[in-house]
């Protein structure tokens, strides 16, 4: 398969493709690399915890550790989380999926 074909076969756990079922999605998030990377880089689980304490619906490391992200239910919610985490992590951004 080419990437386009492979990704075209993915069925996301959403009840409606236009609206994300965030509570259902967050129960399915898992990154096995966290088990390997977090013990060596304790700043990463600290960041994940800080995102959750700031109000993120879920937080996790992306891939093999290039970033840690938190999920928000809306732009307003994301702005609130960002304002809190930027107090400690000034290189933080609010982004959205397309």
């Amino acid at each position: 398969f080419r990437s386009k074909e492979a990704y075209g076969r993915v069925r996301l756990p959403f009840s409606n493709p236009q609206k994300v079922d965030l509570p259902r999605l967050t129960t399915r998030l898992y990154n096995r690399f966290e088990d390997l990377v977090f013990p060596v880089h304790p700043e990463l689980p600290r960041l994940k915890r800080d995102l959750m304490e700031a109000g993120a619906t879920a937080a996790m490391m992306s891939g093999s550790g290039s970033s840690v992200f938190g999920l928000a239910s809306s732009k307003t919610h994301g702005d609130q989380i960002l304002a809190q985490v930027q107090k400690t992590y000034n290189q933080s951004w609010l982004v959205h999926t397309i």
Side-chain angles (χ1 to χ4, degrees), residues 14 21-23 30 32 36 39 42 45 47 55 57 60-63 67 69-71 75-77 90 96 98:
F14 309 143
D21 182 353
L22 195 56
Y30 177 74
R32 169 160 261 147
L36 305 170
L47 172 55
T57 304
M60 68 183 298
M61 183 177 79
S62 68
S67 66
F69 65 91
L71 296 178
K75 181 180 183 317
T76 301
H77 184 212
N90 62 348
H96 66 89
I98 54 172

Side-chain angles (χ1 to χ4, degrees), residues 7 11 13-14 16 18 22 28-29 31 33 36 38 46 50 54 62 66 70 72 79-81 86 91 97:
Y7 281 102
R11 297 296 169 246
F14 309 143
N16 178 343
Q18 298 301 315
L22 195 56
R28 296 172 182 235
L29 295 177
N31 183 343
F33 281 116
L36 305 170
F38 280 9
R46 193 173 317 123
D50 290 348
S62 68
S66 61
D79 287 334
Q80 293 167 347
I81 295 166
Q86 278 187 329
Q91 292 188 2
T97 58

